[in-house]
Amino acid sequence: MIDFPTDRTTWFRDARFGMFIHWGLYSILGRGEWVMNRERIPLEEYKELVDEFDAGDFDPREWARIARDTGMRYLVLTAKHHEGFCLWDARHTDFTATRSAAGRDLLAEYVVALRDADLKVGVYYSLGDWSQPDWRKAVTGDPDAAVRFVEWTHAMVDDLVTNYGRIDVLWYDLPQGLTADQWRSVELNASVRSRQPHILINNRAYTTEDLATPEQSVKAAKPGRLWEACVTMNSVGWGYNAYDPDWKSPREIALLLARCASGQGNLLLNVGPEPSGRIPERARTRLAEIGDWFSLHQEALLNTDQNPLSWYLFGPTTCRGNTLYCFLRNYYGTSFVVGGLTNRVKSAELLDPRTSLDVAQRGPQTIVNGLPKEAPGFLPVVKLELDGKPDHDISRDIGFADVFPDLP
Ligand code: GLC
């Protein structure tokens, strides 16, 4: 088994799909991870939640199994969110899972479970921290507090990347309030990379680093740059949201994944476990459906390239070599048209259920016929084998990238 790709970014480019996990004391209140801040809960009162946080159903092997069954290759867990509570046995604060009712180093268990399942290990670390008086002073303009807080932050991050073996992704958040210079981000990341040379770091400590991280939207980074859209499964909150009735359908999630793939990016799909650590039922049922769809359509999603030349009314596309995959977001019935393709189509096939299709080519119109009248499944995919790499007559294109900044 080759575990160390020669290029440290290869695994990420090929992964396509990961699970984001927001889990902390806020999960107990069930109103999302911003609850302490938005409801102005006093810190001392909030901290009492540690006595309730018992992680009774926390089973990272199950998280790993669910992620794998869904088609995901990596996870990113909130080791510390903005509330400041640490899921690991942090050395520079007492506000930790080891000193909660759980009494365990939950991050350590997560890391081992993921490695055993051959999944990549991502760790989220919030730079901003509502539990630290120095952070509050720092962001309201006290320069001495800022210096102290940043010193503490460097020590915390060092702790995190030193004591758990290989970490594949470091995912910062909430840099707001201080500048990159104040965070000493360049120095911080150089130090992280000296501990973990292969690590991928996101762009949220106000430096470019390895990953662009569009949030709740699918925006491709410029070619050659790794990117990952992070999106919630329910409407807005990332932490467990017991009261949100608005969940995305499996179709909406599959479409997000297809749109990410069409721009050669990844989808980091969020799950907010219940306070006990259990993945909620509504997330499980959706992940199971996505997993079924993924397993039947993965050839259209994995190791694919961006189809650089055009966009289509039916939905997104991906390609690999001489193969073009069409995701039929809009299902027009028995046929659809790929406009402007200059290749000859050698064969066409619906991926699920596997059905070969007829193709008629008339000048710049490639007409695919023979599909079922009703859409077979929530996001059907048609595979076209071409006589060369996808090529288009672009004479009627008008620089769509400027017109459609989000991927179609
Ligand atoms: C937003 C939220 C934060 C969440 C993050 C994930 O910044 O405020 O709570 O962790 O998105 O990208």
Side-chain angles (χ1 to χ4, degrees):
M1 191 182 66
I2 304 165
D3 192 33
F4 286 79
T6 39
D7 176 356
R8 72 194 169 88
T9 65
T10 307
W11 75 264
F12 186 89
R13 267 188 276 124
D14 294 345
R16 200 59 89 217
F17 202 8
M19 184 184 280
F20 211 174
I21 303 194
H22 279 70
W23 186 44
L25 298 183
Y26 45 80
S27 312
I28 297 172
L29 301 176
R31 298 193 290 280
E33 77 289 355
W34 272 81
V35 64
M36 174 185 177
N37 177 288
R38 293 293 82 198
E39 296 186 6
R40 300 293 195 266
I41 303 175
L43 177 60
E44 289 317 312
E45 186 183 319
Y46 190 83
K47 279 188 160 177
E48 286 169 14
L49 292 171
V50 294
D51 298 329
E52 282 176 60
F53 189 80
D54 65 9
D57 295 318
F58 173 60
D59 181 359
R61 290 183 193 280
E62 201 194 13
W63 289 4
R65 183 188 56 71
I66 292 175
R68 282 205 75 95
D69 289 352
T70 310
M72 295 160 163
R73 303 275 177 89
Y74 64 109
L75 288 82
V76 179
L77 170 64
T78 50
K80 174 172 87 78
H81 202 264
H82 314 338
E83 63 180 1
F85 178 68
C86 299
L87 296 182
W88 86 98
D89 188 18
R91 280 188 272 182
H92 307 287
T93 171
D94 289 338
F95 198 27
T96 64
T98 34
R99 294 172 189 84
S100 72
R104 291 150 66 185
D105 185 326
L106 305 168
L107 188 75
E109 295 179 33
Y110 159 86
V111 169
V112 171
L114 264 54
R115 282 211 205 99
D116 286 353
D118 202 18
L119 288 159
K120 298 290 180 192
V121 179
V123 169
Y124 167 111
Y125 179 87
S126 175
L127 294 164
D129 190 319
W130 303 327
S131 73
Q132 295 296 318
D134 271 343
W135 180 75
R136 281 184 273 167
K137 289 184 206 153
V139 295
T140 48
D142 176 339
D144 296 336
V147 169
R148 281 195 305 272
F149 181 68
V150 168
E151 196 60 37
W152 178 82
T153 297
H154 284 222
M156 288 286 281
V157 172
D158 192 60
D159 189 26
L160 196 54
V161 298
T162 331
N163 293 317
Y164 297 89
R166 187 184 163 104
I167 304 285
D168 300 291
V169 179
L170 176 60
W171 219 101
Y172 295 120
D173 201 10
L174 203 65
Q176 285 88 346
L178 300 182
T179 63
D181 280 350
Q182 284 178 301
W183 285 117
R184 299 182 2 239
S185 300
V186 172
E187 182 191 328
L188 177 63
N189 288 329
S191 159
V192 168
R193 291 186 196 281
S194 75
R195 304 277 195 197
Q196 306 260 358
H198 55 274
I199 204 165
L200 299 180
I201 303 179
N202 80 350
N203 59 348
R204 293 199 184 181
Y206 291 145
T207 54
T208 307
E209 306 301 335
D210 303 304
L211 300 184
T213 55
E215 185 174 306
Q216 303 286 33
S217 70
V218 179
K219 276 199 171 68
K222 58 180 190 299
R225 172 131 170 93
L226 300 182
W227 65 274
E228 168 196 73
C230 52
V231 180
T232 50
M233 240 192 279
N234 53 310
S235 62
V236 283
W238 300 77
Y240 178 55
N241 210 317
Y243 307 93
D244 186 350
D246 298 320
W247 284 63
K248 293 180 182 67
S249 65
R251 169 181 154 86
E252 286 173 280
I253 297 165
L255 193 51
L256 286 168
L257 185 56
R259 290 170 62 214
C260 288
S262 77
Q264 276 195 290
N266 293 359
L267 176 65
L268 187 64
L269 182 65
N270 185 68
V271 167
E274 293 165 6
S276 67
R278 188 173 191 279
I279 294 183
E281 208 49 45
R282 280 191 286 197
R284 282 167 188 266
T285 52
R286 281 165 177 79
L287 293 172
E289 280 194 57
I290 297 294
D292 290 344
W293 178 83
F294 184 91
S295 67
L296 294 163
H297 298 96
Q298 52 181 312
E299 67 165 276
L301 295 159
L302 297 175
N303 305 317
T304 50
D305 293 327
Q306 193 161 357
N307 179 14
L309 291 171
S310 207
W311 60 279
Y312 306 98
L313 299 179
F314 57 78
T317 55
T318 57
C319 59
R320 184 189 318 101
N322 296 352
T323 310
L324 179 68
Y325 294 98
C326 305
F327 294 81
L328 303 183
R329 170 187 200 159
N330 296 313
Y331 196 81
Y332 304 122
T334 54
S335 62
F336 72 99
V337 176
V338 186
L341 203 61
T342 55
N343 305 85
R344 198 174 62 77
V345 179
K346 291 161 68 179
S347 65
E349 188 184 36
L350 176 68
L351 289 189
D352 176 46
R354 287 252 173 212
T355 315
S356 83
L357 304 168
D358 295 330
V359 177
Q361 293 192 272
R362 204 173 54 195
Q365 292 193 304
T366 297
I367 306 153
V368 181
N369 293 307
L371 287 157
K373 272 203 191 82
E374 302 293 331
F378 54 71
L379 184 56
V381 179
V382 168
K383 170 182 182 178
L384 302 180
E385 287 298 351
L386 312 178
D387 63 355
K389 284 187 191 302
D391 204 0
H392 293 74
D393 164 14
I394 56 167
S395 59
R396 292 196 222 169
D397 284 1
I398 47 149
F400 77 89
D402 301 331
V403 185
F404 298 95
D406 276 8
L407 287 168

